[in-house]
Amino acid sequence: MTRLSVNVDHVATLRQVRGAAYPDPVEAATVAEAAGAHGITAHLRCDRRHIQDGDVAALKGVVRGKLNLEMSLAEEMVDVALATRPDQVTLVPERPEEITTEGGLDLLRHERDVMKTARNLTRAGISVSLFLDPDPDQVRVAARLLECVEGFEINTDSYSKCAPGAFGEDLAKIQECARLGAQTGLAVYAGHGLTSQNVRPISAIPEIEELNIGHALISRAVVVGLERAIGEMLASMLMPR
Ligand code: PXP
């Protein structure tokens, strides 16, 4: 089945808004894996609004599946990744004022910078994924970077904003990019804005190996607990169409 990587950023958000020591995203990661998550994702932002450097180091110590660190191309972040050695880094664009990641990397403009950072990380044994909008032109550039990029994560934000059942064009673009990416030898992942209501058409795309889901899962966990929220999401990912 499609793997689920649980993004624990917003466990840390809840901690940071009160400057408290709890809830602990590392404890949440352990519970998430015990509940069936296949891996854990955390985004270390330049403003440290949720995940902190110490969380990344602690996650590295406890995560048993794949630890995926989302980060910008900033040198400071590359240093953290090289010191911590997560299994995978997903490179994302980052704008200080944004509420959440607003779009994919623009490889048409930044191919050289991305290549330089990806090479640096790959040399240290870290797999590199790129967060990309569902645009075949972006995927074609990613395919040129196969020597230092293992895969890419399709941004499902625009898809997730469609009314249920009206995914038409957005879904078709994601399917096309997934097909194209897999044909060129890249691993294909997807995420952003996915919920148990909209996840199935995405988990049904055969080329997509893994989904990164955070906000909806952690929000649901506040009400019913993390274990049940993950169980529900895994069940939704497998629902008959
Ligand atoms: N993928 C990337 C690159 C992201 O930046 C985020 C948000 O941190 C996600 C996936 C998860 O999005 P959401 O929290 O909406 O599930």
Side-chain angles (χ1 to χ4, degrees):
M1 76 172 280
T2 317
R3 298 190 302 267
L4 171 64
S5 181
V6 171
N7 180 317
V8 293
D9 291 354
H10 297 303
V11 178
T13 299
L14 208 50
R15 177 189 64 191
Q16 295 307 118
V17 289
R18 289 294 293 269
Y22 62 86
D24 180 3
V26 181
E27 187 183 359
T30 307
V31 173
E33 287 199 303
H38 304 89
I40 299 295
T41 294
H43 186 170
L44 185 68
R45 296 188 72 101
C46 289
D47 63 9
R48 307 299 198 275
R49 68 175 74 158
H50 38 55
I51 294 293
Q52 307 296 303
D53 299 52
D55 295 325
V56 181
L59 285 167
K60 168 71 182 179
V62 307
V63 171
R64 294 150 63 121
K66 180 165 83 175
L67 175 61
N68 172 38
L69 177 65
E70 286 175 11
M71 57 175 230
S72 74
L73 279 81
E75 237 171 76
E76 178 201 1
M77 291 301 152
V78 176
D79 290 345
V80 172
L82 294 177
T84 326
R85 311 262 171 142
D87 301 294
Q88 176 177 294
V89 159
T90 299
L91 294 172
V92 301
E94 199 174 297
R95 205 171 62 81
E97 311 78 39
E98 68 190 2
I99 291 174
T100 179
T101 313
E102 285 175 341
L105 291 165
D106 186 352
L107 292 182
L108 305 178
R109 289 180 63 194
H110 302 297
E111 179 180 355
R112 289 181 72 84
D113 291 340
V114 170
M115 183 168 67
K116 194 170 141 238
T117 303
R119 279 189 175 155
N120 224 337
L121 295 164
T122 303
R123 265 189 234 117
I126 302 168
S127 292
V128 175
S129 174
L130 308 176
F131 188 53
L132 300 180
D133 289 332
D135 173 353
D137 289 341
Q138 298 288 342
V139 179
R140 283 187 199 100
V141 181
R144 293 207 291 255
L145 304 177
L146 253 182
E147 126 280 317
C148 56
V149 168
E150 181 153 321
F152 67 103
E153 178 182 341
I154 303 176
N155 180 7
T156 50
D157 182 59
S158 171
Y159 161 87
S160 73
K161 290 182 171 133
C162 298
F167 301 129
E169 209 178 291
D170 287 270
L171 183 59
K173 274 197 271 177
I174 293 168
Q175 287 165 330
E176 182 190 353
C177 288
R179 217 173 305 125
L180 180 62
Q183 272 166 10
T184 60
L186 290 161
V188 186
Y189 317 118
H192 211 286
L194 295 177
T195 68
S196 50
Q197 276 73 49
N198 66 23
V199 75
R200 184 56 184 141
I202 300 296
S203 65
I205 298 172
E207 294 86 359
I208 296 181
E209 298 174 21
E210 186 172 284
L211 301 179
N212 290 332
I213 307 184
H215 188 262
L217 247 179
I218 301 305
S219 303
R220 180 73 178 145
V222 169
V223 180
V224 301
L226 189 52
E227 195 180 339
R228 182 162 152 201
I230 289 172
E232 287 175 358
M233 186 61 76
L234 289 168
S236 300
M237 286 165 61
L238 282 171
M239 248 173 359
R241 299 200 75 188

